[in-house]
Amino acid sequence: MNIAYLDALPGLRTDIDDELGGDEKGVFTARLSCFGTETDQFLGGHSSRLYLTNRRIIADNTVGLWSVDLVEDVADCEIVERGIPFLKSTVVRVGLNRTVSYGDGHATLQGFRFYLKSKDGERFAALMNGVLG
């Protein structure tokens, strides 16, 4: 994992700067159409935001933050396009190398699907490919 790639990028001001650790900085942010688990269990809607820091992927569904560590948790990342031309949706699938429990332990997930505008999905996937290299 090439975390130095993200460390070299300029930092961005984000709405979650108060949540970031001492050497952590935002490097990407985008509004989500929605996001869910690897099986598309709904986790957040159109007012959700996605953040990539030099240490974590964070999704804010306005109720709470979903956070995974890049080094410890992320296994892979890929873009999946769905639909027909002019009605395509860009989905960035992030696989985890462990199972995460949520909902007071009643549900689990092994990855996320982030629904983004095409240009945002491509930028996020490019950054992740630079890290996962």
Side-chain angles (χ1 to χ4, degrees):
M1 184 124 347
N2 185 9
I3 294 299
Y5 171 76
L6 295 178
D7 288 336
L9 296 175
L12 304 173
R13 282 187 38 92
T14 70
D15 297 337
I16 60 163
D17 284 345
D18 294 341
E19 304 290 329
L20 304 182
D23 64 343
E24 190 173 19
K25 64 182 178 180
V27 295
F28 172 86
T29 184
R31 181 171 301 282
L32 294 164
S33 298
C34 66
F35 76 101
T37 69
E38 78 283 1
T39 60
D40 274 337
Q41 289 288 94
F42 184 79
L43 298 175
H46 63 85
S47 57
S48 299
R49 292 198 66 85
L50 176 64
Y51 303 93
L52 177 63
T53 76
N54 56 331
R55 302 288 179 258
R56 298 183 285 167
I57 296 172
I58 302 169
D60 181 357
N61 65 2
T62 71
V63 177
L65 298 178
W66 295 78
S67 173
V68 292
D69 186 271
L70 289 172
V71 173
E72 294 178 15
D73 300 327
V74 175
D76 57 35
C77 178
E78 70 176 339
I79 288 183
V80 178
E81 289 192 350
R82 293 187 172 165
I84 58 174
F86 306 110
L87 295 175
K88 282 185 185 176
S89 65
T90 299
V91 182
V92 177
R93 188 193 62 76
V94 175
L96 303 178
N97 57 26
R98 67 180 179 96
T99 300
V100 175
S101 295
Y102 67 98
D104 293 331
H106 293 112
T108 62
L109 61 87
Q110 293 183 313
F112 293 97
R113 289 188 184 183
F114 299 112
Y115 291 77
L116 299 131
K117 291 180 182 172
S118 182
K119 66 179 178 80
D120 291 335
E122 290 169 6
R123 173 79 174 127
F124 180 75
L127 289 168
M128 290 300 297
N129 287 337
V131 172
L132 297 170

